[in-house]
Structure formats: C-alpha cells, structure tokens
Amino acid sequence: MKKELITFRNPKSPISETFRTLRTNIQFMNVNKRLKSILITSTLPGEGKSWVASNLAVTFAQAGKQVILIDADMRKARQYSIFGVSPRPGLANYLAENDKNAELSDMEKYVQKTEIEGLYVISAGNVPPNPSELLITPQMQRLLDKLSSQCDIIIVDAPPCELVTDAAILSRIVDSTIVVTAHKFTKKANLQKTIKSIKNVGGKIAGVVLNKVPIDAKKYEKSYYYGSQLTTTRGK
C-alpha cells in the first residue's frame, strides 16, 4: 500500500486524528442508522478526493466497521494503486456483465480484501467507452442495495463534478455526498456550481472537506500532504 494511507501507516499522526474527527462528524449525522453510502467527489482534479476517500475508509475500518470502498472514477482510477489490489475485474466489469438476476455471491470476484481488517475495495475495472451510461443503469442501484445489506458503510470515490456528470448521477442513489476542496485552489464559484448540480438532481450534501491546508512543514514533513483541515459543514 502507498504512503497516502496515513491513517494506516501513522495512526497517531495529527492528520489521522482529523480523519477520525471527520468520521465522528459523519456518525453524528447518522443517528438514525440510515446513512450507509457516502459519495466523495470534488470540483476539479488535484483536490485530493481519492486520498480523502481512502483514508476515511481506513478510519471507519479501524473503528470496527465493515467497509467497502468503490472506485467509481473509471476514467482515472487510483484506489487499486493506493491499496495494492488488482485493477480488474472491477465496477465497470460488473455493471457491463451482470443483469438484474445477478446474485450477491457473484460479487466475490469483484470485491477484493485489503491488508486492513474489515476493509474491501471494488476497483474501477476496465476503462469503458461509456462510464456515465453504465452508472445510470439499474445495476448500479442494485449493487449498492446488495452491498448495503452486507457491510456497515459504502464509500464511493467518484470523478470531479466539473469534468463529467458521473458524480451527479451517483449522488442521486447514495445517501449523502461530501465535496473535497483544496486550500487556495478551489474557486468558490466552482464549489457553488458543484453543490448546485448535486442538489438539482436530488442529491444530498453532507458537507465540505477543506484539504491541503498549509501547516508547519518541518513538524509534519513526513506527511503525504503538508496537512489537511478536514471539516464538514451543512450544505447551504
């Protein structure tokens, strides 16, 4: 596994603690136990959504939860590389190959176990010519329904909203969405546009994560990023 997984490699670090705070915030939002699937997206590439998704998944697993991380960024998949699992078969293969009669047992070849207890990954799979069309099929909704009955939480790593419609499509069928932004990188207008596009299709915004906040570089020089201020705020 790569150095991005700070919550696994250095669980006592300040950055790991902020991820635990983010996990706690999500759990407080979930007092009725109805939040089973969370979509992680951003406005543009480079804001750190895959990094946030992977470390958040690790943090939930460390709390004793059964977690499935789905890499739905079929155009630029990264989760297989972060966790050191096979890039295929994955989500694209499942959606293209399975119909409504597919049984949960059929998922065994797509769900891969990681080195972290309780954490499983579904890679993006082969790059399809039509990712958006695959995600909008009923198979995607059925997949989430099946997995929800088998784990405590599903985290979906989706493409940036400004580039393609994939994240907006997925936001309709997950329980809530977190938008990752980057300090002095994300433009306010782009963030507002992303939130609006998700709400326009009926998606729910859990909050916004502010990533790549500069901190004392000498103190945290071994960290993957200079640092992250991970906070959630209610969408307005």
Side-chain angles (χ1 to χ4, degrees):
M1 290 188 289
K2 287 195 171 184
K3 63 181 181 180
E4 285 107 317
L5 293 178
I6 294 176
T7 48
F8 175 68
R9 296 192 177 280
N10 192 3
K12 294 183 179 180
S13 70
I15 294 176
S16 296
E17 182 59 35
T18 59
F19 272 107
R20 286 190 286 272
T21 300
L22 178 60
R23 179 194 67 200
T24 300
N25 289 345
I26 293 171
Q27 289 173 323
F28 271 119
M29 290 167 47
N30 193 28
V31 291
N32 294 322
K33 308 297 182 183
R34 294 176 181 175
L35 196 156
K36 294 291 292 283
S37 54
I38 301 174
L39 183 76
I40 310 292
T41 186
S42 61
T43 63
L44 293 168
E47 292 169 315
K49 67 173 182 62
S50 294
W51 180 73
V52 170
S54 58
N55 279 281
L56 182 60
V58 170
T59 306
F60 270 105
Q62 289 172 335
K65 304 296 184 181
Q66 292 291 307
V67 185
I68 295 181
L69 173 59
I70 301 176
D71 194 341
D73 193 346
M74 301 181 200
R75 296 172 177 84
K76 197 175 181 180
R78 292 199 62 239
Q79 296 300 343
Y80 78 90
S81 176
I82 293 174
F83 286 94
V85 297
S86 175
R88 62 187 65 84
L91 178 63
N93 305 92
Y94 176 82
L95 295 177
E97 297 168 6
N98 288 276
D99 58 25
K100 63 182 180 180
N101 296 317
E103 297 294 332
L104 187 60
S105 58
D106 296 337
M107 288 302 303
E108 292 179 358
K109 67 177 181 178
Y110 305 101
V111 180
Q112 302 184 64
K113 186 176 176 63
T114 69
E115 295 179 33
I116 300 162
E117 184 68 28
L119 177 54
Y120 302 84
V121 171
I122 298 180
S123 300
N126 293 333
V127 181
N130 57 341
S132 299
E133 285 78 5
L134 282 179
L135 293 173
I136 205 169
T137 59
Q139 286 94 304
M140 187 66 202
Q141 177 70 73
R142 284 192 290 267
L143 172 62
L144 292 176
D145 291 341
K146 290 177 182 179
L147 295 177
S148 293
S149 65
Q150 299 294 311
C151 68
D152 296 308
I153 191 161
I154 302 166
I155 296 176
V156 183
D157 180 8
C161 280
E162 285 286 294
L163 301 183
V164 292
T165 61
D166 298 15
I169 291 171
L170 289 168
S171 71
R172 298 179 59 189
I173 59 175
V174 297
D175 294 326
S176 202
T177 297
I178 291 175
V179 181
V180 176
T181 61
H183 179 71
K184 290 189 176 181
F185 178 85
T186 306
K187 297 183 182 302
K188 183 178 180 181
N190 290 341
L191 176 58
Q192 291 174 331
K193 183 179 178 181
T194 292
I195 292 175
K196 183 178 179 180
S197 67
I198 291 172
K199 289 185 174 181
N200 282 347
V201 298
K204 297 179 180 178
I205 302 289
V208 175
V209 169
L210 180 59
N211 191 28
K212 298 188 180 181
V213 177
I215 55 177
D216 189 336
K218 291 183 179 180
K219 185 176 182 181
Y220 301 131
E221 61 184 359
K222 293 183 180 180
S223 298
Y224 177 62
Y225 287 137
Y226 287 114
S228 297
Q229 179 179 321
L230 304 175
T231 56
T232 55
T233 57
R234 292 288 184 182
K236 296 182 180 179

